[in-house]
Amino acid sequence: MDVARTVFGDRYELASQYVDILASRGVDWGLIGPREVDRLWTRHVLNSVALAGLVDDGSSVLDVGSGAGLPGIPLAILRPDLRITLLEPLLRRYNFLAEVVAELGLTDAVTVLRGRAEDQHDQWQVVTARAVAALPKLLGWCLPLVATGGELLALKGESAEQELVEGQGLLRSRGLVGEVVTASVDPEVAPTWVVRIR
Ligand SMILES: C[S@@+](CC[C@H](N)C(=O)[O-])C[C@H]1O[C@@H](n2cnc3c(N)ncnc32)[C@H](O)[C@@H]1O
């Protein structure tokens, strides 16, 4: 895929290896729907890295509810400067993540953790979440995990503005500011909505 080659540059082969794993083992393990196979690049991998431009160099990143590794693994492939923790409560998904991270040779940059967001006690500079929960619930789980001066980046669909309105009360009570950013990793890739809380 041309645009993916442009986006990932010398990391394209690694990204391609991840897409191949999603299309085979990801489907076999029930983590990826068979109908998603044709749109793994556009709808999942390139969509995931849309938030890359919002993450400062060298940040520690927690990807909450990583599932099959989205957005954490594409982000780790594109941005080797980041230190990324993939958090996933379900054993089967945790096992998949641990296996794939090792296979892709990403263990220096990526840690896989089994657990729920609300049970974590550490903090990260950036917390990401894609398709995990509606924003008000996500804020309750994730805001305590964001280090001072850090940010929460929630990849959302078209409902982003409405979800942000629903989360405003909680944000205001904590003195936080939220905005919806339309982000894309390349002009050829359709933009996605990121709720950014700082
Ligand atoms: C719909 S999947 C999305 C997976 C992935 N982020 C993606 O975009 O494909 C939601 C994931 O959130 C995880 N999850 C659900 N509740 C969670 C919680 N309280 N803390 C962390 N992860 C949670 C689920 O196990 C599941 O893997």
Side-chain angles (χ1 to χ4, degrees):
M1 196 196 190
D2 284 352
V3 65
R5 281 183 194 278
T6 308
V7 168
F8 283 96
D10 63 2
R11 307 277 277 178
Y12 173 77
E13 291 307 328
L14 199 54
S16 191
Q17 198 182 332
Y18 175 55
V19 167
D20 289 345
I21 292 172
L22 290 180
S24 52
R25 217 173 314 155
V27 174
D28 294 344
W29 287 40
L31 307 187
I32 297 289
R35 281 187 298 182
E36 297 304 308
V37 168
D38 287 344
R39 47 188 188 181
L40 285 171
W41 279 111
T42 50
R43 197 181 156 123
H44 298 283
V45 173
L46 292 171
N47 173 273
S48 288
V49 292
L51 49 70
L54 305 175
V55 180
D56 287 344
D57 285 356
S59 297
S60 61
V61 178
L62 175 70
D63 182 25
V64 168
S66 197
L70 300 161
I73 291 180
L75 194 57
I77 293 173
L78 185 69
R79 293 281 306 274
D81 59 296
L82 304 176
R83 293 292 163 266
I84 301 187
T85 300
L86 308 178
L87 178 66
E88 174 53 52
L90 297 184
L91 180 62
R92 196 173 152 76
R93 294 176 186 209
Y94 164 84
N95 285 339
F96 178 87
L97 289 170
E99 192 173 293
V100 172
V101 165
E103 206 166 309
L104 296 176
L106 294 173
T107 46
D108 284 349
V110 181
T111 304
V112 185
L113 198 60
R114 185 169 176 219
R116 294 183 173 277
E118 56 271 42
D119 298 330
Q120 305 309 307
H121 301 292
D122 286 341
Q123 290 192 318
W124 289 262
Q125 286 159 314
V126 178
V127 175
T128 63
R130 178 181 184 262
V132 175
L135 195 65
K137 187 184 258 186
L138 202 58
L139 292 176
W141 290 349
C142 296
L143 289 178
L145 308 179
V146 181
T148 306
E151 60 184 0
L152 169 64
L153 298 173
L155 274 163
K156 289 285 176 185
E158 292 181 33
S159 64
E161 288 285 0
Q162 181 55 37
E163 289 195 42
L164 187 55
V165 168
E166 287 160 16
Q168 278 304 351
L170 181 62
L171 291 177
R172 234 177 269 128
S173 71
R174 298 194 185 198
L176 296 169
V177 178
E179 60 179 331
V180 174
V181 181
T182 47
S184 175
V185 75
D186 185 276
E188 278 191 48
V189 180
T192 189
W193 292 266
V194 182
V195 177
R196 182 184 211 184
I197 313 285
R198 289 187 276 190

